[in-house]
Amino acid sequence: MGLDFAYTKLDRVKHLFHKATFYKQPLLIILFLCLIGHLILFCPYSLAESVSAPENSSPEKYMVQGMGSFQKGAFEQAVIYFQEASRLYEKEGKHSKQSEVLSLLYQAHQSIGQYNEALKNLKLALTLAEKSGDKMRIASVFSDLGNLYIATGPSDKAYQYLNEGLVIARGLGNANLSATILNNLGNLFTTQKKYSEAIDAYTQGVILAEKSGNHSLVVRTLANAAMAYMQSGQYQESKAMLERALDQIRELDHSHDKAYGLINIGLAYHQLCHHLPEYSNTLLLLSSQAFNEASTVAEAIGDFRALSYAFGYLGKLSENEHQHKKALELTRRAVFSAQQVNAPESLYLWQWQTGRLLKVLWKIDDAILAYRHAINTLQSLRHEMSICYGSVRSTFRESMEPVYFEFVDLLLQRAASMQNREEYEPYLIEAREAIELLKVVELRDYFQDDCIDATRSRITKLDIVSKTAIVIYPIVFPDRTELLVSFPTGLKRFSVRVSADTLTQEIKNFRQKLEKRTTREYLPLAQKLYDLLIRPFEPDLKSLSTDTLVFVPDGPLRTIPMAALHDGNQFLIDKYAIAITPGLNLSDPRPITRDSVRVLIAGLTDSVQGFPPIPSVKIEVQSIHDLYGGKILFNQNFLSSSLENELKDEQFTIVHIASHGQFTSDVKKTFLLTFDDRLTIDQLDQYVGLFKFREDPLELLLISA
């Protein structure tokens, strides 16, 4: 879940990474950043005024209409109103007022995932606030900038802006603004797992919010403190904070932020059940009550986004209680509400939930359809998945994987119930394509580059290009491993009764033994893995004139050389050429014309920058040069600038780099070692990008270490 009481789209996208308390992983619940609180604090137009907005085309009219739209969760419409208000204030030369509306526009843009636009508006708001000399506005914009940088990173910028804003707010003696910023600082500390600092910030924030009479902010900060206590293992303190928050939120008027506050309190109570089992029944009842109250508020104010969450989580509670028909009814209401306002960030959750419920009710075809809808909705969220609070971006795979794998599992079950190839093969193909989608999103998320999609649209699949290559596509489930094997006659499925945990352990043992170069202790493990991964379809292989096996490994299978598998007499590489590809849709299988190959070979054997020497690189570089010729950059000649210059001046077909490298879950910390520098993936992308607009593109980049 997200971290904002106002529940922006950014926060709703947090479902992609944590799936609330209900889905397999611990909850990092909404920590109520106080976006709406800020909106009410710094906009002088009450929601009551929206009913009788002035008829003339004044900026105030658009401000009121924008506020009304925002409170109903109609963020796209709010953007239109706030933009018009900003234009009119600019025309009138009212810079302070324009700065105010730009802050509201930032919030609306952030709510629909438009982070670049949000930042652009805040920068202009800051310029205007500084121009007018309004210190309160400056501190407010600093708070917003800190809030945005919590979302997008880096966290040090978030802290800088929040701290500077707090200094100004305290200097002005503004308790309200100080409390708002302290709440945001608490959220920042919570994302960094600095729970004691977070609790201290929240405690100060509650005192100041109570002093200023901002009861909505008090509720948000109490709820945030409850989550910080829960995350730090102080469960009784968390329960006490939630009780205070629930008592006070019930006293508030119906509003957007009350609806989401109740939803998040409900989620927090459900999370607390796992830690305080002696209060389980009471906490579950409170959770259900909070969701029901949220639905009442959402219906009263016409907020379909909030309504979708309230119904959806009530459905999940019923699912947990095995009341599947009731759960399905509530979940369908959640789907309908999300569709009313085009809210894919909640819609996919309830489509997924619908699929699970239909599966339990043995409506398999309907369940498959629901999962299809969920996958399609997730694909529409791809631009928002790479930006989220804290450091959870790298956990996208494990968070989203269940949706895809549950769908694939259903497809394979359906295929297993059929006898004719014409009937079952489409399900096998769809299963493979679903895993391909997951791989693509994973790479896009890692590199933060949508060009992967453009590449996929131009590729012909390997199993279509080559009729002599057999493609082996392993899919590792918790209870078994499925092998989808592409033969000339079509796709076949082989199910192996080895669990993910068992297979992972076998692979780890194999890799450890394989790295002991002086022994052959790896051989029994190589034979065991051969029996698991090759033996099931070996009879089919023997009846074909196959020369190449192409593996599309996933998970732990990526860490071992498939060529080293052993049948008891010989290695797999002795029988077939072995190829590895990250995905059928992620590489172009067309052959390179050898006659026109132009090769650049870069290598490093010397010990530089604290890295040990790699003596074998010299043989590697010379062997490639003997085969293909080309230009060599070696040791002191292998400089970052030299590599860039060569790629600028020459049109190479193949670039081969043999050096040390570091590959981490953060692409910004991934690099290749040159003699004088560390070549980041971003730099390498720029160098390779020089070929994008040339007649002869770079065909192959090899990184060897």
Side-chain angles (χ1 to χ4, degrees), residues 455-466 584-585 587-590:
T455 303
R456 289 179 67 230
S457 67
R458 298 194 304 269
I459 287 175
T460 302
K461 290 182 174 56
L462 177 62
D463 53 355
I464 296 175
V465 171
S466 175
L584 292 180
N585 296 344
S587 56
D588 195 333
R590 293 173 298 174

Side-chain angles (χ1 to χ4, degrees), residues 295-487:
S295 70
T296 300
V297 173
E299 283 186 302
I301 64 175
D303 189 338
F304 286 101
R305 272 187 168 92
L307 195 59
S308 78
Y309 285 105
F311 284 147
Y313 287 131
L314 282 169
K316 183 56 189 169
L317 286 177
S318 295
E319 182 186 10
N320 290 348
E321 295 297 318
H322 305 291
Q323 300 174 14
H324 298 119
K325 290 184 178 180
K326 179 182 177 182
L328 186 58
E329 179 186 347
L330 287 163
T331 305
R332 282 174 168 160
R333 294 177 72 182
V335 168
F336 177 77
S337 297
Q339 289 171 333
Q340 293 295 102
V341 285
N342 187 27
E345 68 287 342
S346 70
L347 179 60
Y348 100 88
L349 279 174
W350 317 131
Q351 291 168 332
W352 177 17
Q353 190 161 288
T354 300
R356 292 197 310 272
L357 291 165
L358 289 169
K359 179 183 175 182
V360 172
L361 294 169
W362 289 99
K363 298 181 179 180
I364 302 302
D365 288 335
D366 290 340
I368 287 173
L369 183 60
Y371 271 99
R372 281 194 190 115
H373 290 322
I375 298 293
N376 289 336
T377 303
L378 273 175
Q379 293 302 114
S380 74
L381 282 168
R382 56 188 165 83
H383 292 295
E384 300 166 39
M385 291 178 182
S386 62
I387 303 177
C388 59
Y389 279 94
S391 58
V392 299
R393 183 181 64 81
S394 62
T395 69
F396 165 76
R397 173 62 188 256
E398 55 261 35
S399 300
M400 282 299 89
E401 191 174 84
V403 188
Y404 291 85
F405 271 72
E406 287 171 19
F407 177 45
V408 170
D409 193 15
L410 263 182
L411 291 170
L412 295 178
Q413 287 182 39
R414 193 72 181 90
S417 68
M418 298 174 175
Q419 299 297 320
N420 298 326
R421 179 184 297 277
E422 293 77 12
E423 291 180 315
Y424 70 69
E425 190 170 38
Y427 288 99
L428 299 183
I429 293 171
E430 187 175 8
R432 191 175 67 179
E433 284 300 304
I435 299 298
E436 283 289 300
L437 286 175
L438 182 60
K439 290 174 183 285
V440 169
V441 176
E442 182 183 25
L443 280 179
R444 185 197 299 117
D445 181 51
Y446 180 75
F447 289 109
Q448 300 180 42
D449 187 354
D450 286 331
C451 292
I452 292 171
D453 292 296
T455 303
R456 289 179 67 230
S457 67
R458 298 194 304 269
I459 287 175
T460 302
K461 290 182 174 56
L462 177 62
D463 53 355
I464 296 175
V465 171
S466 175
K467 297 302 180 184
T468 59
I470 302 299
V471 180
I472 300 101
Y473 207 107
I475 304 175
V476 183
F477 289 99
D479 62 335
R480 70 192 191 284
T481 299
E482 297 278 352
L483 303 172
L484 299 183
V485 185
S486 181
F487 295 106

Side-chain angles (χ1 to χ4, degrees), residues 87-255:
R87 185 188 68 81
L88 291 172
Y89 277 133
E90 181 181 20
K91 185 177 179 180
E92 295 175 3
K94 296 181 178 178
H95 301 305
S96 182
K97 291 290 186 182
Q98 187 186 0
S99 178
E100 287 181 18
V101 76
L102 284 168
S103 288
L104 302 181
L105 188 55
Y106 132 75
Q107 294 164 36
H109 276 301
Q110 179 171 279
S111 297
I112 52 178
Q114 297 174 350
Y115 307 106
N116 289 332
E117 288 298 317
L119 183 58
K120 188 190 303 181
N121 288 313
L122 280 185
K123 287 182 176 179
L124 180 55
L126 182 59
T127 300
L128 293 172
E130 289 173 338
K131 186 175 181 178
S132 66
D134 187 338
K135 288 187 176 180
M136 183 175 167
R137 283 293 313 139
I138 293 170
S140 172
V141 178
F142 279 163
S143 177
D144 289 339
L145 282 165
N147 207 3
L148 185 61
Y149 281 117
I150 294 175
T152 64
S155 58
D156 56 342
K157 269 196 173 182
Y159 179 78
Q160 175 191 336
Y161 280 116
L162 291 173
N163 193 52
E164 289 180 14
L166 185 59
V167 169
I168 297 172
R170 281 174 166 166
L172 294 171
N174 191 314
N176 227 356
L177 181 54
S178 296
T180 299
I181 297 173
L182 282 165
N183 181 55
N184 293 345
L185 271 171
N187 294 332
L188 174 62
F189 291 138
T190 299
T191 66
Q192 297 173 328
K193 299 184 179 181
K194 298 177 180 178
Y195 299 120
S196 61
E197 291 96 327
I199 290 168
D200 182 57
Y202 292 138
T203 302
Q204 294 180 54
V206 168
I207 294 169
L208 290 175
E210 288 176 336
K211 180 180 177 181
S212 65
N214 190 335
H215 302 297
S216 179
L217 182 55
V218 170
V219 170
R220 290 193 293 277
T221 311
L222 284 171
N224 290 343
M227 284 309 305
Y229 277 121
M230 192 186 305
Q231 295 295 321
S232 63
Q234 301 177 68
Y235 304 121
Q236 290 290 349
E237 291 83 353
S238 177
K239 180 173 175 287
M241 291 293 105
L242 283 175
E243 287 169 354
R244 288 178 62 187
L246 184 60
D247 287 342
Q248 295 201 36
I249 200 171
R250 284 172 168 163
E251 300 301 316
L252 299 178
D253 293 336
H254 285 358
S255 67

Side-chain angles (χ1 to χ4, degrees), residues 47 50 63-74 78 82 301:
L47 292 178
S50 65
M63 288 279 279
V64 169
Q65 290 175 328
M67 289 281 292
S69 296
F70 197 106
Q71 283 282 18
K72 291 179 180 178
F82 289 147
I301 64 175

